[in-house]
Amino acid sequence: MLHPQFQHVLTVQYFTMAGKRKRNKQGPQIHSFEELEKVLLENITTYKSAEMALLFLMEKYSFNVHLLHQVIANLGQKLNISFSNVQFQDIAPLVGLDHLRLANEMKTFPLHRSRIPTQLFRSIIEDLDAMILQYGPPIDHETEKARSYFLSPIFNHLVVIFQGAFRNKPESMLPGQITSQGRIEYYFKIFGAVAMVFIEIKKKIGDTGTGRLDAIAQVIAECDVCDWVNTQSDFNVPIYAILCDGEIFEFYQFISQASSPHMFSRGTYISDQPPYATIHRFRLPDLADSNNSLAFITALRPICELIFDIFLLGYFSVLEAHCNHSIQVSGADILGMQESDNLVAWVNSYNKAACARNRFRGAREACAKGQIIASNLKVESAMESLEERYGFRFYYAMESHHHSPYSISHVPIMDRVQPIIHDWDIDQVEMA
């Protein structure tokens, strides 16, 4: 029998996931390369753009992702698909929005800050300084690539906390001739599923206007494709997206339904400091003013902690999906199935991840109350729950033990990566 301490958690998870609607994979089947190419070209005539034709093709038909790769590669420049070309007025119906209301009716989901160690945040700042020495200050960045390099320390340091669970895939979800004009995008996969996408665009988002709406349209398109790719592997998890123009950060969530419209919502954060405003756009001060360095630092930390919480949500949701997959694969009644090593491992990891997330958020709450010592202790405890030890300039992976109390060590498919620094030998290095 499954250990009693897991039964209640699994029962709750099972019925929670069973109640979620999954993207329909039962549309008309397309089995051949020639048929898919023909249908795609016909849809381009109907929807007036290759981008929208592709998205609605994914909604209406069922076909293999590898077939789509072949079609895109074969058509080449005839398609020249770029989701930066998608316009809000065209894609709004896909997520139940009225383009005439300018996204004002968009639903929201709550954002949280998960506190990170101050020393880790200091290392992010130090690496940003190194980026400035290489590429100049943000005001001098003439390409989206330079701006992306400048912001990369944020993700480099936060991803490492998960010890290789998250993998950054800096390429299109649909390889071939699909272009990414005017933007940089990174897809963060965990245990086989895309959980988060970061989209950085060259042009300023602005507060209003068509440009901002079309930037949101890009986010919807990317999330829709990522979710479709996940569905091909039977993953049904939310897609979290971060949109950035180098100055403003916005957060979004995409949850697919059995058929369109899908759920697309904007992240909002209720400040825990006076005047307790509700915020959905997070702005970095201009570093061109030498007096703004401290303002930049204090504005960046909340953004880093919001991003870290999004990583935790992605980690948590994919663990939940694997737990439920293990239950379904067992083919047994949930209250009477035999104990499975894989299942117990996923549940242990899930429970520890939930504990860590609560401690990270609790650490931020303690900090907001001025309880800095208590906050730091909570962060340390939370980091241990994710099996992470952080040093002054280096990350050290803990050895895996059979009865380890940490989340990441319990994951049954984890491909653990040994840090290069693990084999550091000062005598040999000095002589090299």
Side-chain angles (χ1 to χ4, degrees), residues 16-244:
T16 298
M17 292 297 290
K20 292 182 179 179
R21 299 175 63 196
K22 192 172 184 178
R23 180 188 287 267
N24 183 22
K25 293 175 62 179
Q26 304 304 317
Q29 294 282 326
I30 297 179
H31 298 288
S32 71
F33 164 85
E34 293 79 12
E35 184 183 2
L36 181 59
E37 183 176 282
K38 177 182 176 182
V39 173
L40 176 57
L41 292 175
E42 289 174 350
N43 274 266
I44 290 175
T45 302
T46 302
Y47 294 106
K48 300 180 181 179
S49 79
E51 293 82 12
M52 293 308 303
L54 177 60
L55 294 176
F56 280 99
L57 194 71
M58 293 175 178
E59 291 293 317
K60 187 175 180 180
Y61 295 93
S62 179
F63 52 90
N64 189 289
V65 66
H66 300 296
L67 279 181
L68 183 59
H69 290 175
Q70 294 174 28
V71 169
I72 292 173
N74 183 60
L75 292 175
Q77 295 300 325
K78 293 180 182 179
L79 288 183
N80 193 31
I81 291 177
S82 172
F83 289 131
S84 60
N85 295 329
V86 175
Q87 296 184 336
F88 183 76
Q89 64 181 9
D90 296 326
I91 203 171
L94 188 69
V95 290
L97 298 176
D98 181 352
H99 75 277
L100 296 177
R101 298 185 65 180
L102 308 178
N104 291 325
E105 84 278 30
M106 190 185 299
K107 295 181 180 180
T108 62
F109 73 96
L111 294 173
H112 299 273
R113 286 178 62 177
S114 284
R115 187 168 174 83
I116 59 177
T118 299
Q119 186 56 56
L120 186 153
F121 179 62
R122 178 186 175 91
S123 292
I124 292 175
I125 298 298
E126 290 172 345
D127 283 1
L128 288 175
D129 281 335
M131 293 296 107
I132 289 177
L133 293 177
Q134 294 181 65
Y135 303 104
I139 195 173
D140 293 339
H141 297 166
E142 297 180 356
T143 66
E144 62 272 12
K145 183 172 291 188
R147 187 177 298 154
S148 176
Y149 289 153
F150 173 69
L151 294 175
S152 63
I154 298 173
F155 297 92
N156 293 345
H157 284 272
L158 295 181
V159 166
V160 168
I161 292 175
F162 296 90
Q163 289 193 355
F166 275 101
R167 295 295 171 87
N168 184 350
K169 302 293 183 181
E171 75 274 352
S172 173
M173 282 292 99
L174 298 175
Q177 295 300 319
I178 290 184
T179 61
S180 56
Q181 300 164 354
R183 74 187 192 279
I184 295 290
E185 55 203 27
Y186 296 97
Y187 305 90
F188 293 92
K189 299 186 72 173
I190 176 170
F191 310 141
V194 181
M196 193 181 88
V197 56
F198 174 66
I199 302 173
E200 186 167 10
I201 59 177
K202 182 177 180 180
K203 59 186 179 183
K204 294 296 182 181
I205 296 174
D207 296 320
T208 58
T210 303
R212 179 171 180 272
L213 291 176
D214 288 345
I216 294 174
Q218 293 182 43
V219 175
I220 297 173
E222 294 288 355
C223 288
D224 189 41
V225 171
C226 289
D227 182 80
W228 182 81
V229 171
N230 281 349
T231 302
Q232 303 305 299
S233 301
D234 290 324
F235 283 110
N236 181 33
V237 298
I239 304 292
Y240 294 97
I242 303 172
L243 176 64
C244 176

Side-chain angles (χ1 to χ4, degrees), residues 309-328:
D309 193 81
I310 292 293
F311 273 116
L312 287 169
L313 287 174
Y315 178 64
F316 195 70
S317 64
V318 176
L319 286 178
E320 182 183 37
H322 276 286
C323 283
N324 286 279
H325 178 72
S326 295
I327 293 169
Q328 294 165 8

